[in-house]
Amino acid sequence: MNVAKSGYRVFSANSSVACTELAKKITERLGVELGKSVVFQESNRETRVDVKESVRGQTIFIIQTIPRDVNTAIMELLVMAYALKTSCAKNIIGVIPYFPYSKQCKMRKRGSIVCKLLASMLAKAGLTHIITMDLHQKEIQGFFSFPVDNLRASPFLIQYIQEEIPDYRNAIIVAKSPAAAKRAQSFAERLRLGLAVIHGEAQCAESDMADGRHSPPCVRNTTGHTGLELPTGKQQAPFPGIELPIMMAKEKPPITVVGDVGGRIAIIVDDIIDDVGDFVAAAEILKERGAYRIYIMATHGLLSADAPRLIEESPINVVVVTNTVPHEVQKLQCPKIKTVDVSMILAEAIRRIHNGESMAYLFRNITVDD
């Protein structure tokens, strides 16, 4: 039995073995046992959770890593949180290193802000607090009605650069698009390195996506209109036509690299690496501009579809990601992928929250744009 003398218990909400590795590392650092529970899928794919020990009056931490089957992982988390709530747990805190649907945090056409919907579902299920890491947009924290601690992986990635990249003083930090420039600037300032930004037609920013709300209004054809006939026989002046300034369509310039990367190590930094097409295109441009070694540094290595094969065939030398998302299969397919363990900071966050200690220590020397 997970007898937590410290007064809290830690559970894993994952049904797959690969996804429980992070939870095991966190509990080892905390010196507690992983709570006994069974999470599985019925034959009809329904999620079932069975908590095997009493949680009455306890503070519970649920660790949930997100595999490729995102929707199943969300249901596992929701069902477990509700099971703990109905079992009279005092506080239910979700540890979700990679928050799913974080890219869907803005209105697109006639869609919806799915990230806000998920935040409401978690609150309804019984969660009272969330620990996550490197949200895609920091404003996502405002979607929640309870506290959210958005930890940063940058100290671990910077440590990797300093310890594992030979001659890193000859490196330059690269933003693969202007949107990633703030994060890249934060890395560059802390490492005392230069900064380069890739800009041009190869990039497709979120802000360029078609949005129906910006469609021009329909203008009626008023040709031949002589005015409205009033009962008195007089005519009213015609309704003036709508005249808006002509808005020129966006056209990105040819791809350019702002900054000198010739004869240097290029380190591209971002928060998520999923579809690697943009990263491969950026690496090819940097190689053409004279960079002799190319690294990719990202917090969440989703690495979907053919990402391992594309990385292996590209000029990219090393891809460094954290273990917020399980990617052991991708590492077997591509030896260029390296992993940085962040279980230390997640375990420390759990300890501090339970003991009522300040979280400021975990954010020391970290800027808002990081």
Side-chain angles (χ1 to χ4, degrees):
M1 181 177 179
N2 180 22
V3 181
K5 295 181 181 179
S6 50
Y8 65 92
R9 299 186 182 180
V10 181
F11 287 86
S12 173
N14 286 114
S15 57
S16 61
V17 177
C19 296
T20 60
E21 290 301 318
L22 181 60
K24 290 178 181 177
K25 289 183 178 180
I26 292 174
T27 52
E28 287 174 3
R29 291 184 180 276
L30 290 170
V32 300
E33 297 178 7
L34 195 60
K36 291 180 172 59
S37 63
V38 179
V39 183
F40 63 97
Q41 309 298 317
E42 299 273 14
S43 57
N44 61 355
R45 301 300 297 167
E46 288 184 358
T47 298
R48 183 177 290 274
V49 172
D50 187 8
V51 180
K52 296 294 187 179
E53 54 187 286
S54 174
V55 296
R56 183 178 295 273
Q58 296 284 328
T59 295
I60 307 298
F61 293 87
I62 307 174
I63 301 173
Q64 179 70 325
T65 51
I66 307 297
R68 289 191 177 187
D69 191 355
V70 178
N71 296 329
T72 297
I74 291 173
M75 281 305 302
E76 290 171 349
L77 177 60
L78 292 171
V79 174
M80 174 163 274
Y82 192 67
L84 294 169
K85 178 183 178 181
T86 54
S87 298
C88 300
K90 181 180 179 182
N91 294 306
I92 304 172
I93 301 171
V95 183
I96 315 170
Y98 167 65
F99 194 80
Y101 286 97
S102 58
K103 286 188 174 182
Q104 297 191 46
C105 60
K106 297 179 181 179
M107 181 66 73
R108 299 296 179 199
K109 293 187 177 179
R110 294 161 188 84
S112 61
I113 305 176
V114 183
C115 195
K116 167 63 176 173
L117 171 64
L118 181 55
S120 300
M121 292 168 64
L122 293 173
K124 191 68 175 178
L127 288 181
T128 58
H129 196 144
I130 277 183
I131 303 171
T132 187
M133 181 169 282
D134 282 338
L135 288 170
H136 185 58
Q137 297 288 342
K138 296 173 183 61
E139 293 78 9
I140 291 174
Q141 291 175 266
F143 293 163
F144 294 87
S145 57
F146 50 77
V148 176
D149 286 306
N150 182 27
L151 304 177
R152 306 292 198 276
S154 57
F156 297 90
L157 298 176
I158 288 174
Q159 183 180 20
Y160 182 94
I161 293 172
Q162 293 173 329
E163 296 179 356
E164 302 295 333
I165 299 181
D167 194 22
Y168 82 91
R169 290 295 181 186
N170 189 38
I172 185 168
I173 304 299
V174 180
K176 70 179 180 66
S177 66
K182 287 186 177 181
R183 180 184 298 272
Q185 182 181 357
S186 176
F187 273 70
E189 289 176 351
R190 278 187 283 171
L191 287 165
R192 311 297 192 268
L193 299 176
L195 176 67
V197 180
I198 299 176
H199 176 59
E201 60 186 4
Q203 305 302 322
C204 181
E206 291 182 3
S207 58
D208 295 336
M209 298 174 66
D211 191 328
R213 296 173 300 165
H214 299 298
S215 300
C218 179
V219 180
R220 295 181 179 179
N221 185 5
T222 57
T223 304
H225 180 71
T226 58
L228 298 176
E229 192 72 28
L230 299 178
T232 57
K234 297 181 180 179
Q235 286 188 337
Q236 183 179 345
F239 186 79
I242 299 176
E243 296 181 3
L244 296 175
I246 298 175
M247 292 186 289
M248 301 296 293
K250 276 189 176 182
E251 183 176 349
K252 291 195 172 182
I255 192 163
T256 56
V257 179
V258 182
D260 182 17
V261 299
R264 308 180 78 174
I265 301 171
I267 304 175
I268 303 175
V269 297
D270 213 336
D271 61 329
I272 299 173
I273 175 169
D274 187 4
D275 180 5
V276 299
D278 288 348
F279 291 93
V280 171
E284 291 173 349
I285 291 297
L286 293 171
K287 201 73 174 179
E288 291 176 5
R289 297 295 194 276
Y292 70 89
R293 196 163 177 80
I294 300 170
Y295 288 79
I296 307 292
M297 313 289 291
T299 303
H300 309 296
L302 305 186
L303 302 169
S304 302
D306 293 333
R309 179 183 61 81
L310 295 173
I311 292 171
E312 188 66 25
E313 297 173 355
S314 73
I316 299 171
N317 296 101
V318 180
V319 174
V320 182
V321 294
T322 71
N323 57 344
T324 57
V325 177
H327 52 266
E328 295 303 318
V329 175
Q330 291 90 329
K331 287 181 69 175
L332 294 174
Q333 297 172 348
C334 178
K336 293 181 179 181
I337 301 172
K338 309 297 180 184
T339 306
V340 174
D341 182 22
V342 293
S343 61
M344 179 191 302
I345 192 171
L346 294 170
E348 181 63 14
I350 291 174
R351 189 192 69 79
R352 285 176 174 271
I353 288 173
H354 173 68
N355 293 335
E357 299 177 18
S358 172
M359 296 286 283
Y361 178 78
L362 303 182
F363 295 93
R364 67 193 188 284
N365 300 326
I366 292 178
T367 63
V368 175
D369 296 327
D370 194 0

